[in-house]
Amino acid sequence: ELVLEGTATVKGSSDWNVHFADETTTTPSEVGASNATITLDSNKLEGTFSATLEPGGSVAYEVSIVNGGTIAAEAQAPVVEVVGEANYAKCTVEEVGDTTSDLIDNTVHTYKVTLSCDAVDSTDDLPTSEVKETFKVKFKYVKKTSGTN
Protein backbone atom coordinates (compact mmCIF):
# COMPACT_ATOMS: atom_id res chain seq x y z
CA GLU A 1 0.00 0.00 0.00
CA LEU A 2 1.26 3.46 -0.93
CA VAL A 3 -0.05 6.52 0.89
CA LEU A 4 0.95 10.04 -0.16
CA GLU A 5 0.11 13.08 1.88
CA GLY A 6 0.83 16.70 1.16
CA THR A 7 -0.21 19.71 -0.88
CA ALA A 8 0.72 20.69 -4.42
CA THR A 9 0.35 24.16 -5.90
CA VAL A 10 0.56 25.12 -9.56
CA LYS A 11 1.76 28.68 -9.89
CA GLY A 12 0.57 30.99 -12.61
CA SER A 13 -1.89 30.32 -15.37
CA SER A 14 -1.73 30.11 -19.12
CA ASP A 15 -4.35 30.94 -21.67
CA TRP A 16 -4.65 31.19 -25.47
CA ASN A 17 -6.21 34.47 -26.60
CA VAL A 18 -5.08 35.38 -30.12
CA HIS A 19 -7.70 37.63 -31.75
CA PHE A 20 -8.25 40.67 -33.97
CA ALA A 21 -7.09 43.77 -32.11
CA ASP A 22 -9.95 46.11 -33.00
CA GLU A 23 -12.37 45.75 -35.86
CA THR A 24 -12.72 49.52 -36.15
CA THR A 25 -9.07 49.93 -37.17
CA THR A 26 -9.55 48.07 -40.46
CA THR A 27 -9.61 51.08 -42.78
CA PRO A 28 -9.33 50.38 -46.50
CA SER A 29 -7.57 52.72 -48.91
CA GLU A 30 -9.00 52.55 -52.41
CA VAL A 31 -7.79 53.26 -55.94
CA GLY A 32 -10.35 52.31 -58.58
CA ALA A 33 -12.51 50.45 -56.08
CA SER A 34 -15.84 50.93 -54.36
CA ASN A 35 -18.11 49.15 -51.88
CA ALA A 36 -15.14 47.90 -49.87
CA THR A 37 -16.33 45.77 -46.97
CA ILE A 38 -14.71 43.57 -44.36
CA THR A 39 -16.13 41.05 -41.92
CA LEU A 40 -13.87 39.68 -39.18
CA ASP A 41 -14.45 36.57 -37.08
CA SER A 42 -12.08 36.38 -34.09
CA ASN A 43 -13.34 32.90 -33.15
CA LYS A 44 -11.99 31.51 -36.43
CA LEU A 45 -9.33 34.22 -36.90
CA GLU A 46 -10.52 34.85 -40.45
CA GLY A 47 -11.73 37.81 -42.44
CA THR A 48 -13.90 38.18 -45.52
CA PHE A 49 -12.79 41.02 -47.81
CA SER A 50 -14.96 42.30 -50.65
CA ALA A 51 -14.94 45.17 -53.15
CA THR A 52 -16.15 46.25 -56.55
CA LEU A 53 -12.99 46.78 -58.60
CA GLU A 54 -12.54 48.76 -61.80
CA PRO A 55 -10.12 47.33 -64.38
CA GLY A 56 -6.67 47.90 -62.86
CA GLY A 57 -8.19 48.99 -59.53
CA SER A 58 -7.26 47.84 -56.05
CA VAL A 59 -8.20 48.19 -52.40
CA ALA A 60 -5.99 47.61 -49.35
CA TYR A 61 -7.12 46.77 -45.83
CA GLU A 62 -5.12 46.66 -42.59
CA VAL A 63 -5.90 44.02 -40.01
CA SER A 64 -4.21 43.78 -36.61
CA ILE A 65 -3.99 40.63 -34.51
CA VAL A 66 -3.06 40.70 -30.82
CA ASN A 67 -2.19 38.07 -28.26
CA GLY A 68 -4.15 38.88 -25.11
CA GLY A 69 -3.17 35.59 -23.51
CA THR A 70 -0.05 34.25 -21.86
CA ILE A 71 0.84 31.47 -24.33
CA ALA A 72 3.38 32.63 -26.93
CA ALA A 73 2.17 32.22 -30.51
CA GLU A 74 3.96 32.12 -33.83
CA ALA A 75 2.45 32.99 -37.18
CA GLN A 76 2.07 30.60 -40.06
CA ALA A 77 1.34 31.63 -43.64
CA PRO A 78 -2.20 33.01 -44.05
CA VAL A 79 -4.52 30.94 -46.26
CA VAL A 80 -6.44 32.81 -49.00
CA GLU A 81 -9.66 31.34 -50.36
CA VAL A 82 -11.66 32.65 -53.32
CA VAL A 83 -15.35 33.28 -52.70
CA GLY A 84 -16.96 33.28 -56.14
CA GLU A 85 -15.14 33.25 -59.47
CA ALA A 86 -12.27 35.74 -59.08
CA ASN A 87 -11.70 35.73 -62.83
CA TYR A 88 -9.71 38.93 -62.85
CA ALA A 89 -8.97 39.51 -59.19
CA LYS A 90 -6.23 38.44 -56.86
CA CYS A 91 -5.68 38.78 -53.13
CA THR A 92 -2.28 39.25 -51.50
CA VAL A 93 -1.50 39.28 -47.78
CA GLU A 94 1.69 40.73 -46.32
CA GLU A 95 2.74 41.38 -42.77
CA VAL A 96 3.69 45.01 -42.14
CA GLY A 97 5.80 46.27 -39.28
CA ASP A 98 7.85 43.85 -37.21
CA THR A 99 7.79 40.59 -39.14
CA THR A 100 10.33 38.74 -36.99
CA SER A 101 8.83 38.65 -33.50
CA ASP A 102 6.50 36.05 -32.07
CA LEU A 103 3.13 37.14 -30.77
CA ILE A 104 3.44 37.36 -26.97
CA ASP A 105 2.00 39.41 -24.13
CA ASN A 106 -0.19 41.96 -25.97
CA THR A 107 2.14 42.39 -28.93
CA VAL A 108 0.43 43.08 -32.26
CA HIS A 109 0.97 41.78 -35.78
CA THR A 110 -0.47 43.90 -38.59
CA TYR A 111 -1.28 42.59 -42.05
CA LYS A 112 -2.05 44.39 -45.29
CA VAL A 113 -4.66 42.58 -47.38
CA THR A 114 -4.86 43.83 -50.98
CA LEU A 115 -7.54 42.96 -53.53
CA SER A 116 -6.66 43.95 -57.09
CA CYS A 117 -8.22 43.61 -60.52
CA ASP A 118 -5.53 42.48 -62.95
CA ALA A 119 -5.20 40.30 -66.01
CA VAL A 120 -5.10 36.64 -65.02
CA ASP A 121 -1.84 36.11 -66.90
CA SER A 122 0.36 38.03 -69.32
CA THR A 123 -1.68 36.96 -72.38
CA ASP A 124 -4.98 38.26 -71.02
CA ASP A 125 -6.37 41.76 -71.17
CA LEU A 126 -8.02 43.56 -68.28
CA PRO A 127 -11.76 43.07 -67.98
CA THR A 128 -13.94 45.53 -69.88
CA SER A 129 -16.10 46.38 -66.86
CA GLU A 130 -15.86 46.42 -63.09
CA VAL A 131 -15.97 43.18 -61.14
CA LYS A 132 -17.20 42.42 -57.62
CA GLU A 133 -14.80 40.09 -55.85
CA THR A 134 -14.69 38.49 -52.41
CA PHE A 135 -11.86 36.62 -50.69
CA LYS A 136 -11.64 34.88 -47.32
CA VAL A 137 -8.30 35.05 -45.48
CA LYS A 138 -7.54 32.69 -42.60
CA PHE A 139 -4.79 33.99 -40.32
CA LYS A 140 -2.98 31.08 -38.69
CA TYR A 141 -1.19 31.02 -35.35
CA VAL A 142 0.13 28.07 -33.42
CA LYS A 143 1.64 27.69 -29.96
CA LYS A 144 5.32 28.54 -30.02
CA THR A 145 7.17 25.29 -29.48
CA SER A 146 10.41 26.68 -28.02
CA GLY A 147 11.53 29.77 -26.14
CA THR A 148 9.03 31.85 -24.17
CA ASN A 149 6.16 30.05 -22.39
Side-chain angles (χ1 to χ4, degrees), residues 1-128:
E1 178 177 319
L2 176 64
V3 177
L4 298 175
E5 293 182 11
T7 303
T9 303
V10 177
K11 293 185 178 185
S13 64
S14 297
D15 66 311
W16 180 262
N17 188 7
V18 177
H19 60 275
F20 291 108
D22 186 353
E23 293 187 24
T24 61
T25 62
T26 56
T27 54
S29 59
E30 305 172 39
V31 177
S34 59
N35 303 316
T37 61
I38 180 174
T39 304
L40 300 176
D41 183 347
S42 278
N43 292 328
K44 296 181 181 177
L45 209 57
E46 67 184 30
T48 303
F49 303 84
S50 181
T52 302
L53 302 167
E54 297 174 7
S58 67
V59 59
Y61 308 81
E62 280 198 2
V63 177
S64 296
I65 296 173
V66 65
N67 186 352
T70 56
I71 299 172
E74 57 186 349
Q76 295 186 324
V79 175
V80 177
E81 296 177 1
V82 177
V83 178
E85 295 181 23
N87 290 328
Y88 288 99
K90 67 179 178 179
C91 176
T92 58
V93 181
E94 64 180 311
E95 190 172 357
V96 294
D98 181 3
T99 60
T100 60
S101 69
D102 294 318
L103 199 58
I104 56 172
D105 301 328
N106 291 312
T107 55
V108 176
H109 284 176
T110 301
Y111 295 87
K112 180 180 176 182
V113 177
T114 304
L115 275 56
S116 58
C117 180
D118 296 316
V120 175
D121 61 42
S122 60
T123 62
D124 289 336
D125 294 324
L126 287 171
T128 56

